[in-house]
Amino acid sequence: MKDKIVVALGGNALGNTPEEQIQAVRHTAKPIVDLIADGHEVIIAHGNGPQVGMINLAMDVASKSSAATPEMPFPECGAMSQGYIGYHLQNAIREELLERDMQIPVATVVTQVIVDKNDSAFENPTKPVGAFYSKEEAEKLMTEKGFIMKEDAGRGYRRVVASPLPIDVAEKETIKTLVDNNQVVIAVGGGGIPVYAEGNKLIGIPAVIDKDFASAKLAEILDADYLIILTAVEQVAINFGKENEQWLSTLTIKEAEKYIEEGHFAPGSMLPKVKAAISFAESKEGRKALITSLEKASAGIAGQTGTRIVK
């Protein structure tokens, strides 16, 4: 049976440098093309943490060392990372498709994700971005630019931005058209460029949208059958790393919410994945989310492994 699948790639599917990334995406392309070869429609989303950090840091350093180099706003850094990662991903997937004599176009859509500028996340920014600064430099940036700066584990001060929830995808009709015409689409990279609507304008706002939540929103908009959130482990576990560790094959939304309340999932890793999976599974009857490793994606769809989150 042909399913429409949104695949959310984790950081382990991408490299930290351009050279690493070219090698990593070649490996990543194979299981993605396996899903396409199985007859599924596949839309790809991905993270961008190391990449957007590298771009932001490079622009910070360049602007501090040369008056001729402007500071780069954070939404623009996100856009750059989408293009850079998409360029490598689409070429690797295209190559793998052609190796299998599959003539399917692949395209990256630089994607804006709409957020509510009054989202409560803006009241408590938590995501560190960019360079480290001394206390004096941080205070100057706070005064002159209105940045929110926080001390980061004894290493200096860094700017922090909010992580609001996605409410819509600006390029959804373009993405739908490409998918409906049997093209492989890479979208909402790094959670998308955060924007808010003001009349006919979309205005970039410094923030980081969680890529798993953005992937869930895109899957919901595209009426996907599956959201696959790829991570470093094959299944979700409770009591992870303890003697009574238990790997889970299926989770109902109620069970997942119970385990969240009990604190089984780490905020920086599995928690957002489980929450995003819940949001997609509960958005419409019959929708399923799967959390598994990249190599096990096809086996997970076949019900052989992974953790399914169902209504």
Side-chain angles (χ1 to χ4, degrees):
M1 181 182 167
K2 185 176 181 179
D3 287 315
K4 186 183 290 181
I5 300 169
V6 171
V7 177
L9 297 173
N12 58 319
L14 306 168
N16 290 317
T17 68
E19 295 77 16
E20 276 183 26
Q21 187 163 281
I22 287 170
Q23 294 304 314
V25 295
R26 283 183 180 146
H27 172 71
T28 298
K30 295 181 187 301
I32 289 172
V33 175
D34 286 343
L35 290 171
I36 298 167
D38 288 341
H40 302 302
E41 289 182 333
V42 177
I43 303 96
I44 299 136
H46 60 80
N48 73 341
Q51 296 82 3
V52 76
M54 176 182 68
I55 292 165
N56 189 243
L57 179 58
M59 299 307 294
D60 275 358
V61 171
S63 67
K64 283 200 290 186
S65 62
S66 168
T69 304
E71 287 184 7
M72 190 59 62
F74 197 69
E76 279 75 0
C77 292
M80 289 179 185
S81 75
Q82 282 193 18
Y84 154 51
I85 296 167
Y87 157 56
H88 285 166
L89 260 179
Q90 69 191 27
N91 280 353
I93 294 166
R94 174 184 178 275
E95 183 181 348
E96 185 65 25
L97 287 164
L98 292 175
E99 289 286 338
R100 304 190 200 189
D101 294 321
M102 298 169 72
Q103 304 289 329
I104 302 173
V106 189
T108 298
V109 177
V110 175
T111 317
Q112 300 172 95
V113 172
I114 299 169
V115 301
D116 180 355
K117 68 175 180 178
N118 297 313
D119 189 307
S120 60
F122 289 106
E123 295 170 16
N124 182 33
T126 56
K127 293 280 185 181
V129 298
F132 287 92
Y133 294 90
S134 68
K135 187 176 182 182
E136 293 74 21
E137 288 173 320
E139 286 173 350
K140 187 178 179 184
L141 285 168
M142 290 171 75
T143 302
E144 293 180 357
K145 300 187 182 299
F147 288 177
I148 297 171
M149 309 291 290
K150 290 187 179 178
E151 200 274 330
D152 189 340
R155 296 177 293 176
Y157 286 77
R158 294 178 79 189
R159 183 185 181 188
V160 290
V161 297
S163 185
L165 288 172
I167 56 176
D168 204 355
V169 175
E171 289 76 21
K172 61 187 175 186
E173 295 303 330
T174 301
I175 297 166
K176 280 180 185 175
T177 300
L178 291 168
V179 172
D180 290 346
N181 283 276
N182 300 311
Q183 303 203 26
V184 178
V185 183
I186 300 161
V188 299
I193 304 160
V195 297
Y196 65 92
E198 197 169 89
N200 291 328
K201 291 181 182 178
L202 291 176
I203 300 170
I205 189 166
V208 174
I209 303 168
D210 185 280
K211 61 94 180 162
D212 295 316
F213 285 113
S215 302
K217 179 56 68 175
L218 180 63
E220 183 184 328
I221 288 167
L222 295 176
D223 195 23
D225 302 288
Y226 261 100
L227 168 67
I228 305 182
I229 298 175
L230 299 178
T231 186
V233 293
E234 193 172 324
Q235 290 184 312
V236 175
I238 55 172
N239 302 309
F240 184 69
K242 299 176 182 176
E243 284 185 12
N244 57 342
E245 178 179 86
Q246 181 184 345
W247 297 96
L248 306 167
S249 298
T250 305
L251 272 175
T252 65
I253 289 170
K254 282 188 177 178
E255 287 171 336
E257 288 173 340
K258 174 175 169 282
Y259 291 142
I260 287 171
E261 281 181 27
E262 291 173 358
H264 284 283
F265 309 127
S269 56
M270 195 56 76
L271 181 60
K273 299 181 192 320
V274 174
K275 283 185 170 181
I278 289 170
S279 74
F280 177 69
E282 69 183 1
S283 63
K284 185 179 176 182
E285 200 67 43
R287 289 177 175 167
K288 298 175 285 290
L290 174 71
I291 301 175
T292 192
S293 64
L294 177 65
E295 294 76 14
K296 299 293 183 178
S298 287
I301 288 288
Q304 297 165 2
T305 189
T307 302
R308 288 184 182 218
I309 291 88
V310 296
K311 205 165 187 177

